[in-house]
Amino acid sequence: MGKVALRMLFGDPGKYLGLVFGIAFATLLMAQQAGLFVGVLGRTVSQIVDVQEADLWVMDPRVKYSDVTEPLTDTQLYRVRSVEGVAWALPFYRAMSTARSPDGILEQVMMLGVDDATLTGAPRKILLGKIEDLHQPDAIAIDRAGFGRLWPGVKLDLGREVEINDRRVKVVAITEAGAPFTTAPVVVMRYSQALNVAQPRRSQLSYVIARAAPGHNAEDVAARVTRDTGLQGLTRAGFVDKTMNYFLRNTGIPINFGITIALGFIVGAAIVGQTFFLFVVENLRQFGALKAIGVGNLAILRMVLLQAGVAAITGYSIGIGFAAAFFEFVPKISIELRGLALPAEVAIGVAAAVLLIIAAASFASVRRVLVVDPAIVFRG
């Protein structure tokens, strides 16, 4: 009966393509928006994720997310180092500053200051130059996108100078840092140099990054730091969750993307449901003929589900293929969209949504088939 079901499905190319188009469109819309949502949310924690060496972040208890910091004192850094289970603890500076290129281009940059001796916290992927050159006086590393913003149309090279807060610095390395939420250029320099370049404040230490000693659980050490120092100690995963939750609760990001994803689901369900229902109704005579020759309801149900399954798999494959192509090629067209991707979890979630749509459409239609009178074949 499977061949008969497929012959009925492919025998009306218009309705078959309508079904496939509806599923493909819904898949594309949901996958693309969900992928963008995950990508945008991931940008809020790029500078936390980039610091792979540290599994502990220590900050002022009032800090709610990574973009807004309350400066710490050097004494608090030493207190963190004295906590049992802390292998090492280093200063980490983060602030927004204004950069001006020799051509007069102004850009707000994200300035990161990493430990002078070890450069712990600097991006690991270096496209040009050496990160060790940050030990040179007035040296900075800048990310690829930031270089393009300050020197548009210029091929990546080293030795260019830029002013940050009226202090002249020189590019010694080009990095591939994680894209920040604000798309601002990411500038990395030594911690001591960052303090000199930054606007003077009484305290300037943004974070203490640390690592749990071997044999110690990071969560336990983070709790111990909080208890012993009065600061806020978090694991890297905990700080990522805290920052993401802040943006989810206090911005319109989830609402805007959620509305579009819901529209994709509703529009897809409407198109697929209506098209599949009409397809089944217009084939009632064929189903009636099958029942007239003794085909049972269970076999009929299997035929309908087979038709729905083939249409769903074909439409989903096309839609998810277009979504994957979007995330593969669009970031190459615009550097500002770098880092966006289609996570496997999104593809699986969209597949589940498509399955739900096609299941609802199938069961809404199959009732007409199961109650059809075989005598319909003999009526005019």
Side-chain angles (χ1 to χ4, degrees), residues 65-121:
Y65 62 110
S66 62
D67 286 354
V68 176
T69 63
E70 181 66 23
L72 306 174
T73 63
D74 291 341
T75 305
Q76 290 170 313
L77 168 63
Y78 301 135
R79 292 184 64 191
V80 174
R81 285 174 174 167
S82 67
V83 173
E84 180 188 357
V86 175
W88 51 259
L90 299 170
F92 189 83
Y93 178 84
R94 170 177 172 160
M96 302 301 292
S97 295
T98 302
R100 181 173 59 193
S101 73
D103 297 329
I105 297 176
L106 288 176
E107 283 287 346
Q108 190 178 41
V109 299
M110 179 178 291
M111 198 166 66
L112 304 180
V114 299
D115 180 58
D116 284 37
T118 63
L119 302 180
T120 300

Side-chain angles (χ1 to χ4, degrees), residues 24 42 58 84 131 173 182 210 276 358 373:
V58 184
E84 180 188 357
I131 200 67
T182 59
F276 195 71
I358 202 67
D373 184 0

Side-chain angles (χ1 to χ4, degrees), residues 19 55 139 200 224-225 257 320:
L19 270 174
D55 56 10
R224 202 173 298 143
V225 167
F257 281 99
I320 206 70

Side-chain angles (χ1 to χ4, degrees), residues 1-73:
M1 299 307 295
K3 291 183 179 179
V4 176
L6 294 179
R7 189 171 297 173
M8 291 170 60
L9 179 65
F10 300 139
D12 191 338
K15 288 190 172 52
Y16 173 66
L17 292 177
L19 270 174
V20 170
F21 171 78
I23 297 170
F25 177 74
T27 300
L28 173 61
L29 196 56
M30 288 189 290
Q32 191 244 13
Q33 289 297 310
L36 287 176
F37 172 69
V38 172
V40 170
L41 198 59
R43 288 185 170 206
T44 62
V45 296
S46 294
Q47 277 57 59
I48 304 173
V49 176
D50 278 354
V51 185
Q52 289 291 314
E53 300 91 339
D55 56 10
L56 295 170
W57 286 72
V58 184
M59 64 210 78
D60 186 274
R62 292 166 290 181
V63 171
K64 296 179 179 177
Y65 62 110
S66 62
D67 286 354
V68 176
T69 63
E70 181 66 23
L72 306 174
T73 63

